[in-house]
């Protein structure tokens, strides 16, 4: 049943993303801001109210799941799981931003391209995009990490531990991004890295299966066994090695194909989206095999 619930949620969520509806990120942001401002923790404990709130909801979901299983009515929670997955997943608004960015790139208007996507980038990277190369790399890395955290991370923990762990992983990402205190956000970031350690390496491996396997074997797998490497670095290395046509190397592409430079932005983003979609198909096939084998 987890396969059916996830597939249904994924298909509906993709439709909602295209329509730009049901943005769960706004709800997470409002809750984090409200909870963070109303609490008055002691010095050095500003992250505790957020962790406590997430832990309580996670424990409640575990209790509901246990009660439904114990009573022999697991189907009662299926609508709840579907609804929560629709809220936890999704990237509404990204499709429109990437389209106008690609159009601006094709016109050669890099200033307009930067204007359309600057709010999508982390604050620490907005001042680094001083050239089209840097701007595009920052956007691509941010887009891939957002897709990973909104889809693949949630899917991994949903299959492994049900809706409680899926909520926990996604809620920690929201705390990292929206909690008012900067010091607390850095602590939440460490917890997100722990939750993302295994799924991001599985996604990198999926890049090799869904993309250029020989290229991935040469350089993409180098970070898989290094525990201290960040999730973003693992993801970037895996995608760059699995993509052909220098999709994540603007400088190299401009040197080899200067006449096609204006098409690079849209072409690169399309290649990345296709790789992510094929990787999700790999995950769905793997989940189906686990279901057939009786593991899930």
């Amino acid at each position: 049943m987890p396969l059916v619930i996830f597939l249904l949620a994924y298909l509906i969520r993709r439709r909602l993303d295209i329509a730009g509806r049901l943005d769960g990120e706004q709800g997470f942001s409002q809750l984090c801001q409200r909870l963070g401002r109303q609490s008055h923790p002691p010095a050095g404990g500003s992250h505790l109210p957020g962790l406590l709130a997430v832990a309580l909801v996670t424990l409640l979901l575990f209790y509901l799941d246990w009660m439904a299983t114990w009573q022999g009515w697991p189907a009662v929670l299926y609508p709840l799981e579907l609804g929560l997955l629709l809220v936890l997943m999704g990237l509404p608004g990204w499709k429109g931003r990437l389209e106008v960015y690609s159009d601006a790139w094709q016109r050669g208007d890099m200033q307009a391209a930067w204007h359309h996507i600057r709010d999508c980038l982390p604050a620490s990277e907005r001042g680094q995009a001083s050239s089209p190369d840097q701007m595009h790399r920052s956007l691509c890395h941010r887009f891939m990490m957002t897709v990973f955290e909104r889809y693949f991370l949630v899917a991994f923990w949903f299959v492994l531990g049900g809706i409680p762990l899926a909520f926990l992983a996604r809620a920690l990402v929201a705390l990292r991004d929206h909690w008012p205190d900067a010091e607390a956000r850095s602590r939440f970031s460490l917890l997100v890295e722990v939750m993302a350690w295994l799924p991001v390496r599985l996604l990198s491996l999926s890049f090799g299966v869904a993309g250029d396997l020989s290229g991935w074997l040469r350089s993409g797998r180098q970070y898989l066994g290094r525990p201290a490497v960040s999730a973003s670095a693992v993801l970037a290395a895996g995608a760059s090695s699995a993509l052909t046509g220098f999709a994540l190397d603007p400088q190299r592409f401009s040197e080899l194909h200067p006449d096609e430079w204006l098409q690079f932005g849209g072409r690169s983003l399309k290649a990345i989206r296709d790789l992510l979609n094929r990787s999700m198909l790999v995950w769905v096939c793997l989940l189906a095999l686990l279901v057939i084998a009786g593991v899930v």
Side-chain angles (χ1 to χ4, degrees):
M1 199 61 191
L3 175 61
V4 176
I5 295 175
F6 175 74
L7 281 179
L8 185 58
Y10 177 72
L11 294 175
I12 297 175
R13 184 65 258 183
R14 291 295 298 268
R15 293 286 185 179
L16 292 172
D17 285 349
I18 294 174
R21 296 181 179 179
L22 192 60
D23 189 357
E25 193 68 8
Q26 292 182 357
F28 276 120
S29 176
Q30 293 173 2
L31 288 174
C32 289
Q33 294 296 326
R34 183 176 301 177
L35 182 60
R37 289 170 181 170
Q38 290 179 352
S39 60
H40 300 283
S46 59
H47 64 293
L48 295 179
L51 281 180
L52 180 61
V54 169
L56 288 175
V57 177
T58 302
L59 289 175
L60 176 61
L61 292 173
F62 268 121
Y63 175 75
L64 292 175
D65 183 60
W66 176 80
M67 282 295 297
T69 304
W70 183 66
Q71 294 289 341
W73 299 336
V76 173
L77 290 184
Y78 292 162
L80 174 63
E81 293 179 347
L82 177 62
L84 282 177
L85 283 177
L86 292 177
V87 174
L88 298 177
M89 298 192 299
L91 295 92
W94 269 90
K95 183 176 184 292
R97 292 191 190 101
L98 296 182
E99 286 180 349
V100 294
Y101 170 84
S102 299
D103 291 341
W105 186 288
Q106 191 167 8
R107 296 193 309 269
D109 191 349
M110 300 305 173
Q111 185 174 2
W114 164 245
H115 175 76
H116 289 308
I117 57 94
R118 61 183 178 181
D119 293 336
C120 302
L121 303 180
S124 59
E125 297 182 10
R126 292 173 189 171
Q128 299 176 6
S130 57
S131 69
D133 294 6
Q134 294 174 331
M135 173 180 66
H136 190 73
R137 279 195 295 268
S138 295
L139 173 64
C140 292
H141 292 168
R142 179 59 175 173
F143 175 65
M144 289 190 297
M145 278 301 299
T146 304
V147 173
F148 165 70
E149 292 172 348
R150 304 276 184 90
Y151 278 103
F152 291 92
L153 183 66
V154 174
F156 177 87
W157 288 110
F158 175 69
V159 173
L160 196 66
I163 200 65
L165 289 186
F167 170 81
L168 175 62
R170 183 66 181 86
L172 288 175
V173 172
L175 290 174
R176 181 203 63 190
D177 293 340
H178 303 296
W179 195 255
D181 184 68
E183 181 181 356
R185 289 198 301 271
S186 65
R187 296 176 181 176
F188 293 135
S189 180
L190 293 176
L191 295 176
V192 172
E193 286 291 333
V194 172
M195 297 292 290
W197 193 91
L198 184 55
V200 78
R201 282 158 175 79
L202 180 59
L203 179 54
S204 177
L205 177 60
S206 304
F207 285 162
V209 176
D212 181 7
L213 180 59
S214 61
W216 183 86
L217 289 174
R218 285 195 302 270
S219 57
R221 60 189 178 93
Q222 59 180 324
Y223 293 147
L224 293 186
R226 301 182 185 181
V229 178
S230 67
S232 60
V234 173
L235 201 61
S240 180
S241 61
L243 287 168
T244 58
F246 305 101
L248 281 177
D249 192 349
Q251 183 176 0
R252 184 62 174 162
F253 182 90
S254 64
E255 294 174 355
L256 297 177
H257 308 285
D259 297 338
E260 302 177 25
W261 175 244
L262 295 180
Q263 286 77 43
F264 173 77
R267 188 182 300 177
S268 171
L269 290 173
K270 183 179 184 302
I272 293 171
R273 291 198 300 267
D274 290 345
L275 179 64
L276 290 168
N277 288 334
R278 293 195 302 271
S279 297
M280 178 58 75
L281 180 60
V282 171
W283 280 39
V284 170
C285 292
L286 178 60
L287 177 57
L289 292 175
L290 293 176
V291 170
I292 294 173
V295 178
V296 178

